[in-house]
Amino acid sequence: MLVKSKSEFQLLKDGHVTSPKGFTAGGMHCGLRKSKLDFGWLHSEVPACAAGVYTMNSFQAAPLKVTQESLAADQKLQTIVVNSGIANACTGAQGIEDAQKTQELAAAKMNVKQNHVAVASTGLIGVTLPMEKIEAGIEAMNEPENQAPERFEQAILTTDTITKTIAVQLEIDGKTITIGGAAKGSGMIDPNMATMLAYITTDAQADPGSLQNALRAVTDKTFNMITVDGDCSTNDTVLVMANGLQNNEPLNENHPQWDKFIHALTFVSEELAKQIAKDGEGATKLIEVKVKGASSEQAGRKVGKAVISSNLVKSAVFGSDPNWGRIICAVGYSEEPVNPDKVNVFLGEIPVVKNGLPVDFDEQEGKTYLDQPSVKLTVDLNDGYAEATAWGCDLTYDYVKINASYRT
């Protein structure tokens, strides 16, 4: 069912990662966690052109290294397998061996090339995978009762409270193209994804180099503009698979409808990113920081990330305290040159700072606005025409509780 037109594309009601033609997914409980689904897979009926972006953390987890090496071979994927509960990070040679074994077994089970299998893990760092349980999960991949996109979306979660999913449709070359996505992430989000897994699928045909360039650019505007707690994890991955089953002309920068495709891809990525930010550990509010009047988009991003990453700003929003001084403070230490005498700040539509000076406003009105589950903070630098947006969540007592007992 189609709903909510975005002019160039339409949002699919109940859309998910297998909405595009030729994709299937599933999940099961293989014993890595006490009771929740903990092993999932995503599969294309044909090899798909693929692109990936990964964490900037120096301690990259074993599955990331294996997946990057495989993807570099011919820029194609057909199957993705993911486990939750154990990150397979900081596990040395054994971790690499386990990731490769997972890849090998999944390839044999799904009858695909080994280098067309991506592997991913999320959970505790420094723990090796119990391979007998992983093998049991792989053996059950084709069982009918385990097949459903919802099971995949649940199997990849850790401290998340909800699944994150979306799909849109658009017309390219007269063909109906679908883009779907699923993601997980609830904590350790920032500054380049972190403990975040995102998978985007499409039945469009695309040039692999162009798809990789597009993913990097889109990720910078979306997944890299969210934060929960300022930590950068070891397992971040965003993968895109384009299986080409709609037989459109290959999409690249010279295709007349390339911008239309990028617009839809950006929307899918942004919506997944916002769902992650909203589901931050212990979060009660989604915070959007809009930076206007920046000298460049990069400058706007730096200022936006500084504000959204500020624990003082996040705490103030949690307490519905219209303390605009914390916003100004974060703008000032963003390491981006700003002219304090030009800066304006708004809480929603409420002006609280004009030209760097306080504006008389109704404190109760500000508090009432911040009581809402979704809050927008606007910073106008009045230094140019570029804009950027960042997303995050409030910092609550529950965040501390969750992370104080993560292992126990």
Side-chain angles (χ1 to χ4, degrees):
M1 181 178 178
L2 295 176
V3 295
K4 197 176 179 181
S5 171
K6 293 292 180 180
S7 71
E8 293 185 334
F9 58 87
Q10 291 179 304
L11 182 65
L12 279 175
K13 183 180 180 182
D14 300 322
H16 45 70
V17 73
T18 63
S19 292
K21 184 179 179 180
F23 287 96
T24 56
M28 64 166 291
H29 175 247
C30 71
L32 301 178
R33 307 178 70 187
K34 289 182 179 180
S35 59
K36 297 181 180 179
L37 302 186
D38 52 20
F39 186 79
W41 54 90
L42 175 62
H43 178 72
S44 171
E45 65 182 52
V46 298
C49 166
V53 180
Y54 314 92
T55 183
M56 298 299 290
N57 194 304
S58 297
F59 288 91
Q60 282 198 344
L64 268 72
K65 295 176 181 179
V66 170
T67 295
Q68 287 180 78
E69 183 178 345
S70 295
L71 192 52
D74 62 3
Q75 294 180 289
K76 289 186 178 180
L77 291 175
Q78 193 166 356
T79 302
I80 300 172
V81 291
V82 189
N83 74 267
S84 60
I86 297 175
N88 193 13
C90 299
T91 47
Q94 184 64 52
I96 296 293
E97 183 180 326
D98 290 343
Q100 291 173 335
K101 185 65 175 177
T102 301
Q103 184 186 51
E104 176 189 342
L105 293 171
K109 183 66 178 179
M110 303 304 288
N111 194 28
V112 304
K113 292 182 179 179
Q114 183 170 340
N115 68 294
H116 287 176
V117 176
V119 290
S121 302
T122 179
L124 290 176
I125 294 171
V127 179
T128 57
L129 292 172
M131 288 305 295
E132 71 283 357
K133 295 180 179 180
I134 296 294
E135 291 175 24
I138 292 171
E139 189 57 35
M141 285 174 69
N142 290 329
E143 297 296 329
E145 65 269 22
N146 295 326
Q147 303 298 325
E150 296 83 5
R151 293 182 69 87
F152 171 77
E153 293 155 6
Q154 292 165 8
I156 66 178
L157 305 182
T158 50
T159 56
D160 310 61
T161 63
I162 57 170
T163 57
K164 290 89 176 170
T165 185
I166 188 175
V168 301
Q169 283 187 340
L170 63 158
E171 188 173 291
I172 290 179
D173 295 334
K175 309 291 179 65
T176 299
I177 300 298
T178 305
I179 304 175
K184 66 82 54 181
S186 187
M188 294 180 75
I189 311 293
D190 184 87
N192 291 285
M193 300 172 300
T195 307
M196 189 204 76
L197 304 177
Y199 303 106
I200 298 172
T201 55
T202 180
D203 45 24
Q205 187 172 191
D207 170 74
S210 299
L211 189 64
Q212 181 65 56
N213 292 337
L215 179 60
R216 289 191 181 280
V218 168
T219 297
D220 279 344
K221 294 181 179 180
T222 58
F223 295 115
N224 281 346
M225 291 302 290
I226 59 176
T227 185
V228 169
D229 50 22
D231 275 2
C232 181
S233 186
T234 54
N235 292 59
D236 309 351
T237 306
V238 177
L239 292 176
V240 176
M241 299 171 69
N243 66 18
L245 287 181
Q246 291 296 4
N247 296 312
N248 58 289
E249 290 298 315
L251 287 161
N252 58 42
E253 292 85 350
N254 296 319
H255 190 290
Q257 292 176 297
W258 176 249
D259 287 346
K260 184 177 182 180
F261 175 73
I262 295 300
H263 182 202
L265 179 64
T266 302
F267 177 80
V268 167
S269 301
E270 181 179 306
E271 288 302 304
L272 289 174
K274 289 195 288 187
Q275 289 178 49
I276 291 169
K278 187 176 183 179
D279 192 34
E281 290 171 343
T284 64
K285 301 174 185 178
L286 173 69
I287 308 172
E288 177 178 302
V289 176
K290 176 82 170 181
V291 179
K292 300 168 55 179
S295 58
S296 67
E297 188 174 348
Q298 182 61 28
R301 289 179 191 167
K302 286 179 67 175
V303 172
K305 285 301 291 288
V307 175
I308 203 67
S309 300
S310 167
N311 285 336
L312 291 178
V313 171
K314 290 153 68 69
S315 299
V317 172
F318 170 61
S320 299
D321 178 8
N323 187 348
W324 56 263
R326 294 181 175 182
I327 301 171
I328 285 290
C329 181
V331 172
Y333 65 60
S334 66
E335 298 184 354
E336 187 61 36
V338 298
N339 185 338
D341 296 333
K342 291 183 176 181
V343 175
N344 300 332
V345 177
F346 298 81
L347 305 180
E349 299 297 323
I350 306 169
V352 293
V353 174
K354 183 175 177 61
N355 296 327
L357 297 174
V359 173
D360 251 350
F361 72 99
D362 185 332
E363 290 264 344
Q364 185 55 49
E365 183 185 4
K367 182 180 184 339
T368 299
Y369 174 74
L370 293 177
D371 279 338
Q372 299 180 103
S374 184
V375 170
K376 182 177 180 180
L377 311 177
T378 301
V379 177
D380 190 346
L381 301 177
N382 283 305
D383 194 34
Y385 300 97
E387 298 183 352
T389 306
W391 300 272
C393 60
D394 54 345
L395 184 60
T396 70
Y397 306 126
D398 283 343
Y399 174 84
V400 178
K401 290 180 183 178
I402 291 167
N403 283 282
S405 58
Y406 185 73
R407 288 179 56 90
T408 56

